[in-house]
Amino acid sequence: MKKVYIGIIGFGNIGSAVAEFIKKNHQVIIANAGIDLEVKTVCDTRKLHIPYSLTSNYLEVINDQEISVVVEAIGGENPAKKIILAALNKKKHVVTPNKEAIAKNMKTFLAAAAKNKVQLLFEASVGGGIPIIQPIKESLAGDKLSQIYGIVNGTTNYILSKMSLEGKDFATALKEAQDKGYAEPNPTSDVEGYDAAYKAAILAMVAFQAEVDWQKIYREGIKQISQDDIQYAKDIGYVIKLLAIAQRDEGKLDVRVHPALLPKKHPLAAVSDNYNAIYVKGAPVGPLMFYGQGAGGGPTASAIISDIIIAANSKNKNQNSKLRKINLKKIGEVKSKFYIRLEVPDRVGVLAGISKIFAQKKVSIAAVLQQETDGQVVTLVIMTDQVAEKNLTAALAAMKKRPIVKKVCNVIRIAS
Amino acid sequence: MKKVYIGIIGFGNIGSAVAEFIKKNHQVIIANAGIDLEVKTVCDTRKLHIPYSLTSNYLEVINDQEISVVVEAIGGENPAKKIILAALNKKKHVVTPNKEAIAKNMKTFLAAAAKNKVQLLFEASVGGGIPIIQPIKESLAGDKLSQIYGIVNGTTNYILSKMSLEGKDFATALKEAQDKGYAEPNPTSDVEGYDAAYKAAILAMVAFQAEVDWQKIYREGIKQISQDDIQYAKDIGYVIKLLAIAQRDEGKLDVRVHPALLPKKHPLAAVSDNYNAIYVKGAPVGPLMFYGQGAGGGPTASAIISDIIIAANSKNKNQNSKLRKINLKKIGEVKSKFYIRLEVPDRVGVLAGISKIFAQKKVSIAAVLQQETDGQVVTLVIMTDQVAEKNLTAALAAMKKRPIVKKVCNVIRIAS
């Protein structure tokens, strides 16, 4: 039987779970894949009592002739980038859950992997334990993919679920997520959509073999979502989710991250708590959804171990390493339906005035909900038909100059 | 670039969709997989006007030196079995959506494939376009799987969805499914659970590398599910789904197909219409769900084309061809919670009598719903705690002998 020695760089939550399950599932892996995996060396700066050779110098891992697969589990762009490149250049297969390093450097990494005839695999970087990268590359190799919608950030999905199902406000739900360990003490990367943007970039690059500069991805977090928005959305048959979107659009790629109203019947609408799911549309396959735990040591280790097995069995298998150039669609050009919540004065003619401005900017109104009120202010919820975002932006700008609108409380795209 | 010639045997809905999308997605497949697929020969007994070499003799396909992958798309066990074996013995990779042939002959086919160093691939046989076989074999190769619950029959899922969401009765929903082409004129294979049993056998064999005699799989269809059951289930927070179940249970395999009450919060509960989904639990990955179109030419072609690509790239890759012997758990030994709907006389002491019989047979009652009634008959809905099925069967038999029960209307297992 083939024996495969593994080096793990970074022995935190994920690195240690990989070692644990390589040992625990040793017989299962032999039965499933016919190979004998063994962790040989761990690189970590801490003093650890572990039954593996321990070093604080990653060069001892990547220079080891016996080790054929290196797991990079440090996280963050640096020094992970340097280590991944060095390992690839030493002709080691590299497996990593590092979404930031992969999103920012996929092209460079793939080129180094191709040059050295080794594999760079990163199933765990999107959706934790959910098989999505490999199914896109392999199971959907015969399909022309058109759309990916991902709920790829468990923290924000947990917060939005609590707001939706339990009526909590954003701050309370965030605190609860932090108490449960689903959110970091500094939640910026999750709440502002950075984490989801890394994953959107990775999904877009894998699905469309295109180079995507993650910094050009339009990104909007969930902080501005209020309980009011959640309730109005519910009343009209929608839930609000933070979506990572990657789709073909008239020869360009439309890649973005933002909260969106999703019809209750959409398969993603039922994905709650800290679960992740990726919805993929392709031809001829139609719509698919992949659902599971998007984070945590165990699920992430599952994805890493399967990548280790794929790498070990790869025999210099070609991997498609070329990412073509393609233009990203600018957010102003993207067409969506919109949900708009406004506060307007409670007097005759306001709706007519708003309608007129919308019409001038070619924004067509699909529905208006007017909430009852005693006071001087009425809340209006307007749903538009499909329109280029720049038209809507222009309409809202024009409206703000006029006394017919007191406040634009929120504008949320509607996904379908 | 690698050129791969394909022979398709059986050019109906599925075979022709495979040819259509190999042509339509030719450039996409080159970009995704770096291989040039071409359908060379089609075998069909009809006279067809097609841009491929046409024969009515399958030997002309399997004897063709240029053809390396044969798609068997006839369906049914015979003559498909003979053709698949002959093709494998001619050292052709075989790709097939034929659930019946695979479920009944997987061991024989895998042995022939191993002997001839070719691949036998059948992603399309379960869940249509949903990637499930390959993800289990590859993406979950590091996991110890414990449970698979599948909604794998679109016809019955459509019928149960219509009954649940629109209040239709079984006969009306079946008629509608037939009108939409989701159900055959003779719906036995779907409605009685045969189709799901083939798929349960395949999933169990792939996930647990165990030989499963599909005839020993406990199988129950959906005909006896009434609108009453659906409504009572709904009242207590459940939906009724036809499940294909395969799970490890105390050193044995528990494989069965039957309708089950599923909690509304279970990810499978939201899978409606003719969609399929497969829910998989493993360690360390936790729960996963794979969702999509379980039938139809397009989705099935997607799975077949991805298998063709895997086969073409396989380079005599070993496939795990050994299925171990394992005992199937007998249905009487399986432990479940149960939903029981009874009609009982409307008089004092009935519930006490029923409770006593349950207690004697060690069946513990978790909840009782008693419906109001004017007449002489009351409907009781009883939910039990977990109990071995044989105990429940004994309790119901004892009850039928006594005047305290007029009728056992239905008994449905509760899945969790």
Side-chain angles (χ1 to χ4, degrees):
Chain A
M1 195 182 331
K2 188 170 182 173
K3 176 98 189 176
V4 177
Y5 289 99
I6 298 153
I8 299 179
I9 300 179
F11 208 67
N13 186 21
I14 291 172
S16 59
V18 170
E20 178 192 345
F21 282 96
I22 282 176
K23 191 166 277 180
K24 202 175 268 181
N25 285 357
H26 189 248
Q27 288 306 317
V28 173
I29 293 167
I30 288 173
N32 286 342
I35 57 177
D36 175 2
L37 299 185
E38 185 176 330
V39 175
K40 184 178 179 189
T41 308
V42 164
C43 173
D44 200 289
T45 51
R46 298 165 298 172
K47 297 227 177 300
L48 301 167
H49 295 280
I50 49 175
Y52 313 105
S53 157
L54 177 67
T55 173
S56 59
N57 181 0
Y58 75 91
L59 293 172
E60 284 187 33
V61 176
I62 68 171
N63 287 329
D64 188 323
Q65 292 297 322
E66 241 179 7
I67 289 174
S68 57
V69 184
V70 171
V71 176
E72 180 280 304
I74 308 174
E77 192 183 9
N78 296 302
K81 179 183 176 180
K82 183 181 69 179
I83 294 171
I84 291 171
L85 278 174
L88 292 171
N89 285 325
K90 289 284 180 181
K91 301 198 188 304
K92 307 297 182 195
H93 302 297
V94 174
V95 175
T96 177
N98 191 328
K99 63 227 165 193
E100 186 178 350
I102 294 290
K104 293 180 177 175
N105 304 286
M106 192 190 293
K107 198 181 177 184
T108 311
F109 291 161
L110 286 178
K115 198 184 85 188
N116 291 288
K117 293 187 175 155
V118 289
Q119 300 274 316
L120 167 78
L121 297 170
F122 44 86
E123 179 64 79
S125 67
V126 180
I130 305 171
I132 182 65
I133 304 290
Q134 191 65 16
I136 287 177
K137 291 199 307 195
E138 192 165 66
S139 302
L140 299 174
D143 273 79
K144 179 163 186 177
L145 301 185
S146 54
Q147 180 185 74
I148 298 179
Y149 279 7
I151 295 176
V152 290
N153 181 270
T155 309
T156 48
N157 202 46
Y158 180 86
I159 292 170
L160 291 171
S161 294
K162 290 287 151 185
M163 291 175 73
S164 175
L165 303 174
E166 298 173 15
K168 292 182 171 140
D169 64 14
F170 173 79
T172 312
L174 171 59
K175 176 74 172 50
E176 210 178 295
Q178 286 170 323
D179 291 346
K180 289 209 169 192
Y182 295 160
E184 306 282 333
N186 176 354
T188 306
S189 174
D190 293 321
V191 166
E192 303 281 6
Y194 288 95
D195 176 82
Y198 296 145
K199 292 165 179 171
I202 294 170
L203 287 171
M205 289 191 270
V206 170
F208 304 112
Q209 289 111 35
E211 205 180 332
V212 174
D213 179 351
W214 80 277
Q215 286 183 289
K216 291 190 181 151
I217 294 176
Y218 177 83
R219 182 187 46 71
E220 200 182 298
I222 63 161
K223 268 187 180 167
Q224 79 288 10
I225 302 296
S226 73
Q227 192 50 241
D228 284 345
D229 297 317
I230 293 207
Q231 287 308 324
Y232 289 132
K234 200 177 274 185
D235 290 347
I236 52 177
Y238 291 85
V239 296
I240 299 179
K241 295 288 183 188
L242 181 70
L243 292 188
I245 295 175
Q247 51 193 0
R248 292 184 201 266
D249 189 349
E250 297 168 338
K252 295 184 179 175
L253 272 192
D254 170 20
V255 188
R256 48 199 158 99
V257 169
H258 55 70
L261 270 72
L262 207 57
K264 273 179 199 162
K265 286 195 79 171
H266 195 286
L268 288 173
V271 176
S272 49
D273 294 331
N274 65 335
Y275 279 90
N276 282 16
I278 298 106
Y279 177 85
V280 180
K281 258 190 190 165
V285 77
L288 294 173
M289 187 174 77
F290 302 79
Y291 166 101
Q293 281 288 357
T300 308
S302 163
I304 290 174
I305 296 170
S306 83
D307 274 352
I308 292 171
I309 295 167
I310 292 170
N313 281 332
S314 65
K315 292 183 188 162
N316 307 340
K317 186 172 143 188
N318 257 343
Q319 67 180 7
N320 203 335
S321 59
K322 278 184 205 134
L323 299 179
R324 67 203 162 100
K325 298 261 178 207
I326 189 167
N327 286 323
L328 286 194
K329 193 117 180 169
K330 294 211 167 64
I331 190 73
E333 306 294 331
V334 170
K335 285 182 186 143
S336 306
K337 297 178 180 179
F338 288 88
Y339 155 104
I340 303 151
R341 178 161 61 90
L342 301 170
E343 282 176 11
V344 301
D346 190 4
R347 58 176 163 80
V348 172
V350 164
L351 190 55
I354 290 172
S355 303
K356 196 176 157 197
I357 294 175
F358 272 138
Q360 281 166 352
K361 303 298 180 188
K362 299 195 168 60
V363 180
S364 155
I365 294 175
V368 178
L369 260 89
Q370 179 161 341
Q371 301 304 117
E372 302 253 354
T373 165
D374 317 328
Q376 300 180 302
V377 177
V378 184
T379 295
L380 278 189
V381 172
I382 298 175
M383 317 273 290
T384 74
D385 287 325
Q386 189 109 323
V387 61
E389 183 144 344
K390 61 182 176 187
N391 293 36
L392 184 83
T393 309
L396 292 172
M399 227 172 272
K400 282 178 187 165
K401 291 182 193 148
R402 301 271 308 277
I404 49 171
V405 169
K406 283 185 175 282
K407 193 178 167 194
V408 178
C409 305
N410 213 345
V411 178
I412 311 177
R413 294 162 197 87
I414 301 173
S416 55
Chain B
M1 195 183 329
K2 187 171 182 173
K3 177 98 189 175
V4 176
Y5 289 99
I6 298 152
I8 299 179
I9 300 179
F11 209 67
N13 186 23
I14 292 173
S16 60
V18 170
E20 178 192 345
F21 283 96
I22 282 177
K23 191 166 276 181
K24 203 175 264 178
N25 284 358
H26 190 246
Q27 287 307 315
V28 174
I29 293 167
I30 288 174
N32 286 343
I35 57 176
D36 176 1
L37 298 185
E38 186 177 329
V39 175
K40 185 178 177 190
T41 308
V42 164
C43 173
D44 200 289
T45 50
R46 296 165 299 171
K47 298 228 178 297
L48 301 166
H49 296 279
I50 50 174
Y52 313 106
S53 157
L54 177 66
T55 173
S56 59
N57 179 1
Y58 75 92
L59 294 171
E60 283 186 33
V61 175
I62 69 170
N63 287 328
D64 188 322
Q65 292 297 321
E66 240 178 8
I67 290 174
S68 57
V69 184
V70 171
V71 176
E72 180 281 305
I74 307 174
E77 192 184 9
N78 295 304
K81 178 182 176 181
K82 181 181 68 176
I83 294 172
I84 291 171
L85 277 174
L88 293 171
N89 286 325
K90 289 285 180 181
K91 302 197 186 306
K92 307 298 181 192
H93 301 300
V94 173
V95 174
T96 178
N98 191 329
K99 62 227 166 193
E100 186 179 349
I102 295 290
K104 294 181 177 174
N105 304 287
M106 193 191 292
K107 198 181 178 186
T108 311
F109 291 162
L110 286 177
K115 197 184 86 188
N116 292 288
K117 295 190 173 153
V118 289
Q119 300 274 315
L120 167 79
L121 297 170
F122 44 86
E123 180 63 79
S125 67
V126 180
I130 306 171
I132 182 64
I133 304 290
Q134 191 65 16
I136 287 177
K137 291 199 307 195
E138 192 165 65
S139 302
L140 299 174
D143 274 78
K144 179 164 185 175
L145 301 185
S146 54
Q147 179 183 74
I148 298 179
Y149 279 5
I151 295 176
V152 289
N153 180 270
T155 309
T156 47
N157 202 46
Y158 180 86
I159 293 170
L160 291 171
S161 294
K162 291 288 151 184
M163 290 175 73
S164 174
L165 303 173
E166 298 173 14
K168 291 183 172 138
D169 65 14
F170 173 80
T172 312
L174 170 60
K175 175 75 173 50
E176 210 177 296
Q178 286 170 323
D179 291 345
K180 289 208 169 194
Y182 296 159
E184 306 281 334
N186 176 355
T188 306
S189 173
D190 293 322
V191 165
E192 303 281 6
Y194 288 96
D195 176 83
Y198 296 144
K199 292 163 178 172
I202 294 171
L203 287 170
M205 289 192 268
V206 171
F208 304 112
Q209 290 111 35
E211 205 181 333
V212 174
D213 179 351
W214 81 278
Q215 286 184 289
K216 291 191 180 150
I217 296 175
Y218 177 83
R219 181 188 46 72
E220 198 181 299
I222 63 161
K223 268 186 180 168
Q224 80 288 13
I225 303 296
S226 73
Q227 193 50 240
D228 284 344
D229 297 318
I230 293 205
Q231 288 308 324
Y232 290 133
K234 200 178 273 183
D235 291 347
I236 51 177
Y238 291 84
V239 296
I240 298 179
K241 296 288 186 188
L242 182 70
L243 293 188
I245 295 174
Q247 52 193 359
R248 291 184 202 266
D249 188 350
E250 297 168 337
K252 295 183 178 176
L253 273 193
D254 170 20
V255 187
R256 49 199 158 101
V257 169
H258 54 70
L261 270 73
L262 208 57
K264 273 179 197 160
K265 288 196 78 174
H266 194 287
L268 287 174
V271 176
S272 48
D273 293 332
N274 65 334
Y275 280 91
N276 281 16
I278 298 104
Y279 177 85
V280 181
K281 259 189 187 165
V285 77
L288 295 173
M289 187 175 76
F290 302 80
Y291 165 98
Q293 282 287 356
T300 308
S302 163
I304 290 173
I305 296 170
S306 83
D307 273 352
I308 292 171
I309 294 167
I310 292 170
N313 281 332
S314 65
K315 292 184 189 161
N316 307 340
K317 186 172 144 188
N318 257 341
Q319 67 179 8
N320 203 333
S321 59
K322 279 187 203 130
L323 300 179
R324 67 201 162 98
K325 297 262 178 206
I326 188 167
N327 286 323
L328 285 194
K329 193 118 179 168
K330 294 213 168 64
I331 191 73
E333 306 295 330
V334 170
K335 285 182 186 143
S336 305
K337 297 177 181 180
F338 289 87
Y339 155 103
I340 303 151
R341 179 162 60 89
L342 301 171
E343 283 176 10
V344 301
D346 190 4
R347 59 177 162 80
V348 172
V350 163
L351 190 55
I354 290 173
S355 304
K356 195 176 158 196
I357 294 176
F358 273 138
Q360 281 166 351
K361 304 297 180 187
K362 300 195 168 59
V363 180
S364 155
I365 294 175
V368 178
L369 261 88
Q370 177 160 344
Q371 301 304 116
E372 302 252 357
T373 165
D374 317 327
Q376 299 180 303
V377 176
V378 185
T379 295
L380 278 189
V381 171
I382 298 176
M383 318 272 288
T384 74
D385 288 324
Q386 190 109 324
V387 62
E389 184 144 343
K390 60 182 176 187
N391 293 38
L392 184 82
T393 309
L396 292 172
M399 225 172 272
K400 283 179 189 167
K401 291 183 196 149
R402 301 271 308 277
I404 50 172
V405 170
K406 282 183 175 284
K407 192 178 166 193
V408 177
C409 305
N410 213 345
V411 178
I412 311 177
R413 294 163 196 87
I414 302 174
S416 55

